[in-house]
């Protein structure tokens, strides 16, 4: 299977009072985040071995956390403020305060792959993520225009039962988008 792209990034604020597993996960304020150029989920795993009689008798390679990197073409100020726990005024301005706490959110998107000459659509949902302030990189226009993106880095966490990611395959893009909307409770998505 060859990965050939992705689209349709959706997020929602995790309701931690009821979200104990992927099956019970509930999200508030769901929204489409906007176009993205790259998504990279990098789980951190334990690497522990218990040796006895000169060989490993027990091992633990379980997921303990990780990072999620979203390279967004240009997040709206409203979405960036929401992801980082900042206030966004009605006039579109944002104030970043050192005491603001980013919410725990779920992030989902549709990955595209080719298998046996057919396109397969896989929903990939990271169930609990907390994002950090992105770098503010700016560059002057030179002889040729360079398109720069904003990269949002987040920490991956597990739900109470250990679930951290949920995936499902579809043969139809619209069905995959609908599944993500249903999971997050997004009802009026323009992209779906």
């Amino acid at each position: 299977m060859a990965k050939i792209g992705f689209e349709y990034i959706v997020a929602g604020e995790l309701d931690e009072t009821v979200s104990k597993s992927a099956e019970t996960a509930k999200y508030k304020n769901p929204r489409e985040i906007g176009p993205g150029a790259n998504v990279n989920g990098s789980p951190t795993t334990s690497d522990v071995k218990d040796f006895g009689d000169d060989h490993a008798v027990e091992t633990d390679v379980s997921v303990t956390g990780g990072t999620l990197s979203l390279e967004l073409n240009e997040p709206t100020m409203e979405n960036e403020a929401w992801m980082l726990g900042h206030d966004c005024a009605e006039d579109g301005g944002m104030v970043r305060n050192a005491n603001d706490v980013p919410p725990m959110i779920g992030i989902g998107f549709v990955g595209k792959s080719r298998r046996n000459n057919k396109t397969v659509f896989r929903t990939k949902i990271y169930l609990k993520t907390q994002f950090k302030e992105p770098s503010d990189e700016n560059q002057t226009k030179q002889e040729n225009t360079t398109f720069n993106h904003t990269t949002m880095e987040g920490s991956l966490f597990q739900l109470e039962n250990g679930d951290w990611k949920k995936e499902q395959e579809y043969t139809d893009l619209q069905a995959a988008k609908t599944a993500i909307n249903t999971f997050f409770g997004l009802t009026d998505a323009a992209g779906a």
Side-chain angles (χ1 to χ4, degrees):
M1 181 168 69
K3 294 180 182 179
I4 59 172
F6 79 95
E7 65 179 84
Y8 196 58
I9 303 171
V10 172
E13 186 178 344
L14 182 67
D15 181 349
E16 295 193 72
T17 62
V18 296
S19 300
K20 309 301 182 197
S21 69
E23 288 75 33
T24 64
K26 298 286 183 234
Y27 296 87
K28 305 177 279 189
N29 305 315
R31 62 191 65 206
E32 185 176 354
I33 295 300
N38 194 327
V39 176
N40 186 9
S42 301
T44 303
T45 57
S46 177
D47 187 10
V48 180
K49 298 172 186 75
D50 182 20
F51 287 88
D53 291 337
D54 289 338
H55 67 277
V57 293
E58 293 290 336
T59 62
D60 178 12
V61 292
S62 60
V63 172
T64 59
T67 59
L68 181 65
S69 177
L70 297 178
E71 183 183 335
L72 303 172
N73 291 67
E74 180 62 31
T76 65
M77 198 169 294
E78 180 184 356
N79 282 342
E80 189 174 355
W82 174 77
M83 290 173 73
L84 298 171
H86 299 311
D87 290 327
C88 193
E90 287 184 26
D91 67 0
M94 173 177 28
V95 174
R96 297 174 191 258
N97 186 291
N99 297 312
D100 293 340
V101 178
M104 293 293 182
I105 63 176
I107 295 281
F109 61 94
V110 179
K112 300 176 189 177
S113 299
R114 295 288 290 168
R115 185 186 302 132
N116 299 324
N117 295 319
K118 294 184 181 175
T119 303
V120 176
F121 303 94
R122 181 181 291 189
T123 57
K124 300 179 181 193
I125 300 170
Y126 291 89
L127 300 165
K128 186 176 181 180
T129 308
Q130 187 176 42
F131 284 90
K132 304 168 191 145
E133 291 292 328
S135 296
D136 184 15
E137 299 174 9
N138 302 278
Q139 179 178 335
T140 188
K141 182 177 178 181
Q142 300 177 16
E143 290 180 15
N144 296 309
T145 300
T146 301
F147 293 109
N148 293 309
H149 298 146
T150 300
T151 300
M152 307 283 294
E153 291 271 334
S155 295
L156 295 175
F157 297 94
Q158 301 171 5
L159 297 180
E160 191 173 295
N161 75 337
D163 292 346
W164 63 276
K165 184 179 180 186
K166 178 181 171 75
E167 297 179 271
Q168 182 71 43
E169 285 190 357
Y170 298 87
T171 57
D172 177 71
L173 176 60
Q174 187 58 47
K177 287 181 174 183
T178 298
I180 285 186
N181 289 345
T182 301
F183 185 81
F184 285 104
L186 187 60
T187 55
D188 87 305

PDB file of all heavy atoms in Angstrom, residues 19-39:
ATOM      1  N   SER A  19     -15.117  10.653  28.171  1.00  0.00           N
ATOM      2  CA  SER A  19     -14.240  10.028  27.172  1.00  0.00           C
ATOM      3  C   SER A  19     -13.206   9.135  27.836  1.00  0.00           C
ATOM      4  O   SER A  19     -12.075   9.536  28.077  1.00  0.00           O
ATOM      5  CB  SER A  19     -13.560  11.119  26.335  1.00  0.00           C
ATOM      6  OG  SER A  19     -14.527  11.896  25.674  1.00  0.00           O
ATOM      7  N   LYS A  20     -13.599   7.919  28.103  1.00  0.00           N
ATOM      8  CA  LYS A  20     -12.708   6.956  28.759  1.00  0.00           C
ATOM      9  C   LYS A  20     -12.068   5.997  27.767  1.00  0.00           C
ATOM     10  O   LYS A  20     -11.070   5.357  28.075  1.00  0.00           O
ATOM     11  CB  LYS A  20     -13.473   6.154  29.816  1.00  0.00           C
ATOM     12  CG  LYS A  20     -14.261   7.003  30.807  1.00  0.00           C
ATOM     13  CD  LYS A  20     -13.384   7.947  31.572  1.00  0.00           C
ATOM     14  CE  LYS A  20     -14.210   8.743  32.585  1.00  0.00           C
ATOM     15  NZ  LYS A  20     -13.538   9.914  33.084  1.00  0.00           N
ATOM     16  N   SER A  21     -12.662   5.882  26.546  1.00  0.00           N
ATOM     17  CA  SER A  21     -12.154   4.990  25.506  1.00  0.00           C
ATOM     18  C   SER A  21     -12.545   5.574  24.152  1.00  0.00           C
ATOM     19  O   SER A  21     -13.310   6.535  24.075  1.00  0.00           O
ATOM     20  CB  SER A  21     -12.754   3.591  25.656  1.00  0.00           C
ATOM     21  OG  SER A  21     -14.128   3.612  25.337  1.00  0.00           O
ATOM     22  N   ALA A  22     -12.054   4.970  23.073  1.00  0.00           N
ATOM     23  CA  ALA A  22     -12.421   5.428  21.732  1.00  0.00           C
ATOM     24  C   ALA A  22     -13.930   5.292  21.503  1.00  0.00           C
ATOM     25  O   ALA A  22     -14.536   6.110  20.815  1.00  0.00           O
ATOM     26  CB  ALA A  22     -11.654   4.646  20.678  1.00  0.00           C
ATOM     27  N   GLU A  23     -14.547   4.286  22.112  1.00  0.00           N
ATOM     28  CA  GLU A  23     -15.984   4.064  21.933  1.00  0.00           C
ATOM     29  C   GLU A  23     -16.832   5.093  22.671  1.00  0.00           C
ATOM     30  O   GLU A  23     -17.945   5.394  22.256  1.00  0.00           O
ATOM     31  CB  GLU A  23     -16.378   2.650  22.388  1.00  0.00           C
ATOM     32  CG  GLU A  23     -15.912   1.548  21.456  1.00  0.00           C
ATOM     33  CD  GLU A  23     -14.414   1.260  21.577  1.00  0.00           C
ATOM     34  OE1 GLU A  23     -13.843   1.394  22.677  1.00  0.00           O
ATOM     35  OE2 GLU A  23     -13.808   0.916  20.543  1.00  0.00           O
ATOM     36  N   THR A  24     -16.337   5.625  23.781  1.00  0.00           N
ATOM     37  CA  THR A  24     -17.121   6.596  24.555  1.00  0.00           C
ATOM     38  C   THR A  24     -16.669   8.032  24.344  1.00  0.00           C
ATOM     39  O   THR A  24     -17.213   8.944  24.954  1.00  0.00           O
ATOM     40  CB  THR A  24     -17.044   6.275  26.070  1.00  0.00           C
ATOM     41  OG1 THR A  24     -15.685   6.417  26.515  1.00  0.00           O
ATOM     42  CG2 THR A  24     -17.553   4.872  26.361  1.00  0.00           C
ATOM     43  N   ALA A  25     -15.673   8.241  23.470  1.00  0.00           N
ATOM     44  CA  ALA A  25     -15.124   9.590  23.268  1.00  0.00           C
ATOM     45  C   ALA A  25     -16.177  10.546  22.732  1.00  0.00           C
ATOM     46  O   ALA A  25     -16.897  10.235  21.786  1.00  0.00           O
ATOM     47  CB  ALA A  25     -13.935   9.530  22.316  1.00  0.00           C
ATOM     48  N   LYS A  26     -16.268  11.704  23.354  1.00  0.00           N
ATOM     49  CA  LYS A  26     -17.194  12.770  22.944  1.00  0.00           C
ATOM     50  C   LYS A  26     -16.398  14.062  22.818  1.00  0.00           C
ATOM     51  O   LYS A  26     -15.499  14.332  23.617  1.00  0.00           O
ATOM     52  CB  LYS A  26     -18.315  12.967  23.973  1.00  0.00           C
ATOM     53  CG  LYS A  26     -19.199  11.752  24.167  1.00  0.00           C
ATOM     54  CD  LYS A  26     -20.139  11.565  22.991  1.00  0.00           C
ATOM     55  CE  LYS A  26     -21.057  10.381  23.237  1.00  0.00           C
ATOM     56  NZ  LYS A  26     -21.044   9.410  22.193  1.00  0.00           N
ATOM     57  N   TYR A  27     -16.775  14.878  21.833  1.00  0.00           N
ATOM     58  CA  TYR A  27     -16.069  16.115  21.556  1.00  0.00           C
ATOM     59  C   TYR A  27     -17.038  17.284  21.456  1.00  0.00           C
ATOM     60  O   TYR A  27     -18.179  17.109  21.025  1.00  0.00           O
ATOM     61  CB  TYR A  27     -15.255  15.972  20.259  1.00  0.00           C
ATOM     62  CG  TYR A  27     -14.180  14.921  20.389  1.00  0.00           C
ATOM     63  CD1 TYR A  27     -14.449  13.586  20.126  1.00  0.00           C
ATOM     64  CD2 TYR A  27     -12.907  15.255  20.832  1.00  0.00           C
ATOM     65  CE1 TYR A  27     -13.479  12.614  20.283  1.00  0.00           C
ATOM     66  CE2 TYR A  27     -11.928  14.283  20.996  1.00  0.00           C
ATOM     67  CZ  TYR A  27     -12.218  12.974  20.717  1.00  0.00           C
ATOM     68  OH  TYR A  27     -11.259  12.018  20.886  1.00  0.00           O
ATOM     69  N   LYS A  28     -16.562  18.470  21.876  1.00  0.00           N
ATOM     70  CA  LYS A  28     -17.356  19.697  21.825  1.00  0.00           C
ATOM     71  C   LYS A  28     -16.722  20.644  20.818  1.00  0.00           C
ATOM     72  O   LYS A  28     -15.535  20.560  20.538  1.00  0.00           O
ATOM     73  CB  LYS A  28     -17.385  20.384  23.199  1.00  0.00           C
ATOM     74  CG  LYS A  28     -17.861  19.508  24.343  1.00  0.00           C
ATOM     75  CD  LYS A  28     -17.800  20.239  25.673  1.00  0.00           C
ATOM     76  CE  LYS A  28     -16.380  20.198  26.213  1.00  0.00           C
ATOM     77  NZ  LYS A  28     -16.225  20.678  27.571  1.00  0.00           N
ATOM     78  N   ASN A  29     -17.523  21.570  20.327  1.00  0.00           N
ATOM     79  CA  ASN A  29     -17.044  22.611  19.406  1.00  0.00           C
ATOM     80  C   ASN A  29     -16.254  22.061  18.227  1.00  0.00           C
ATOM     81  O   ASN A  29     -15.165  22.555  17.924  1.00  0.00           O
ATOM     82  CB  ASN A  29     -16.187  23.637  20.168  1.00  0.00           C
ATOM     83  CG  ASN A  29     -16.911  24.232  21.341  1.00  0.00           C
ATOM     84  OD1 ASN A  29     -18.073  24.600  21.227  1.00  0.00           O
ATOM     85  ND2 ASN A  29     -16.246  24.320  22.477  1.00  0.00           N
ATOM     86  N   PRO A  30     -16.762  21.041  17.524  1.00  0.00           N
ATOM     87  CA  PRO A  30     -16.009  20.493  16.400  1.00  0.00           C
ATOM     88  C   PRO A  30     -15.917  21.498  15.265  1.00  0.00           C
ATOM     89  O   PRO A  30     -16.784  22.351  15.095  1.00  0.00           O
ATOM     90  CB  PRO A  30     -16.828  19.266  15.996  1.00  0.00           C
ATOM     91  CG  PRO A  30     -18.216  19.592  16.414  1.00  0.00           C
ATOM     92  CD  PRO A  30     -18.077  20.412  17.674  1.00  0.00           C
ATOM     93  N   ARG A  31     -14.834  21.383  14.503  1.00  0.00           N
ATOM     94  CA  ARG A  31     -14.622  22.304  13.383  1.00  0.00           C
ATOM     95  C   ARG A  31     -13.628  21.725  12.389  1.00  0.00           C
ATOM     96  O   ARG A  31     -12.772  20.928  12.754  1.00  0.00           O
ATOM     97  CB  ARG A  31     -14.112  23.643  13.889  1.00  0.00           C
ATOM     98  CG  ARG A  31     -12.763  23.522  14.594  1.00  0.00           C
ATOM     99  CD  ARG A  31     -12.357  24.774  15.328  1.00  0.00           C
ATOM    100  NE  ARG A  31     -13.272  25.020  16.414  1.00  0.00           N
ATOM    101  CZ  ARG A  31     -13.514  26.208  16.918  1.00  0.00           C
ATOM    102  NH1 ARG A  31     -12.886  27.255  16.452  1.00  0.00           N
ATOM    103  NH2 ARG A  31     -14.359  26.379  17.900  1.00  0.00           N
ATOM    104  N   GLU A  32     -13.741  22.176  11.156  1.00  0.00           N
ATOM    105  CA  GLU A  32     -12.730  21.856  10.150  1.00  0.00           C
ATOM    106  C   GLU A  32     -11.588  22.834  10.361  1.00  0.00           C
ATOM    107  O   GLU A  32     -11.796  24.042  10.500  1.00  0.00           O
ATOM    108  CB  GLU A  32     -13.307  21.983   8.746  1.00  0.00           C
ATOM    109  CG  GLU A  32     -12.344  21.540   7.676  1.00  0.00           C
ATOM    110  CD  GLU A  32     -12.916  21.570   6.274  1.00  0.00           C
ATOM    111  OE1 GLU A  32     -14.123  21.838   6.112  1.00  0.00           O
ATOM    112  OE2 GLU A  32     -12.142  21.320   5.335  1.00  0.00           O
ATOM    113  N   ILE A  33     -10.372  22.329  10.415  1.00  0.00           N
ATOM    114  CA  ILE A  33      -9.206  23.156  10.716  1.00  0.00           C
ATOM    115  C   ILE A  33      -8.715  23.908   9.477  1.00  0.00           C
ATOM    116  O   ILE A  33      -8.175  24.987   9.578  1.00  0.00           O
ATOM    117  CB  ILE A  33      -8.068  22.290  11.303  1.00  0.00           C
ATOM    118  CG1 ILE A  33      -8.506  21.716  12.644  1.00  0.00           C
ATOM    119  CG2 ILE A  33      -6.789  23.085  11.475  1.00  0.00           C
ATOM    120  CD1 ILE A  33      -8.840  22.752  13.688  1.00  0.00           C
ATOM    121  N   GLY A  34      -8.889  23.359   8.314  1.00  0.00           N
ATOM    122  CA  GLY A  34      -8.427  24.022   7.102  1.00  0.00           C
ATOM    123  C   GLY A  34      -7.442  23.167   6.351  1.00  0.00           C
ATOM    124  O   GLY A  34      -7.071  22.086   6.803  1.00  0.00           O
ATOM    125  N   PRO A  35      -6.987  23.654   5.199  1.00  0.00           N
ATOM    126  CA  PRO A  35      -6.083  22.832   4.406  1.00  0.00           C
ATOM    127  C   PRO A  35      -4.740  22.621   5.091  1.00  0.00           C
ATOM    128  O   PRO A  35      -4.231  23.523   5.757  1.00  0.00           O
ATOM    129  CB  PRO A  35      -5.919  23.617   3.106  1.00  0.00           C
ATOM    130  CG  PRO A  35      -6.360  24.995   3.402  1.00  0.00           C
ATOM    131  CD  PRO A  35      -7.287  24.928   4.570  1.00  0.00           C
ATOM    132  N   GLY A  36      -4.217  21.437   4.908  1.00  0.00           N
ATOM    133  CA  GLY A  36      -2.926  21.091   5.494  1.00  0.00           C
ATOM    134  C   GLY A  36      -2.004  20.491   4.461  1.00  0.00           C
ATOM    135  O   GLY A  36      -2.449  19.895   3.478  1.00  0.00           O
ATOM    136  N   ALA A  37      -0.708  20.661   4.666  1.00  0.00           N
ATOM    137  CA  ALA A  37       0.298  20.143   3.743  1.00  0.00           C
ATOM    138  C   ALA A  37       0.945  18.869   4.256  1.00  0.00           C
ATOM    139  O   ALA A  37       1.469  18.079   3.472  1.00  0.00           O
ATOM    140  CB  ALA A  37       1.371  21.206   3.498  1.00  0.00           C
ATOM    141  N   ASN A  38       0.909  18.646   5.586  1.00  0.00           N
ATOM    142  CA  ASN A  38       1.609  17.508   6.152  1.00  0.00           C
ATOM    143  C   ASN A  38       1.036  17.203   7.533  1.00  0.00           C
ATOM    144  O   ASN A  38       0.783  18.120   8.303  1.00  0.00           O
ATOM    145  CB  ASN A  38       3.107  17.843   6.267  1.00  0.00           C
ATOM    146  CG  ASN A  38       3.970  16.636   6.516  1.00  0.00           C
ATOM    147  OD1 ASN A  38       3.568  15.694   7.175  1.00  0.00           O
ATOM    148  ND2 ASN A  38       5.183  16.672   5.992  1.00  0.00           N
ATOM    149  N   VAL A  39       0.835  15.938   7.826  1.00  0.00           N
ATOM    150  CA  VAL A  39       0.472  15.491   9.173  1.00  0.00           C
ATOM    151  C   VAL A  39       1.434  14.364   9.525  1.00  0.00           C
ATOM    152  O   VAL A  39       1.625  13.437   8.745  1.00  0.00           O
ATOM    153  CB  VAL A  39      -0.974  14.966   9.264  1.00  0.00           C
ATOM    154  CG1 VAL A  39      -1.263  14.418  10.655  1.00  0.00           C
ATOM    155  CG2 VAL A  39      -1.975  16.043   8.909  1.00  0.00           C
TER     156      VAL A  39
END
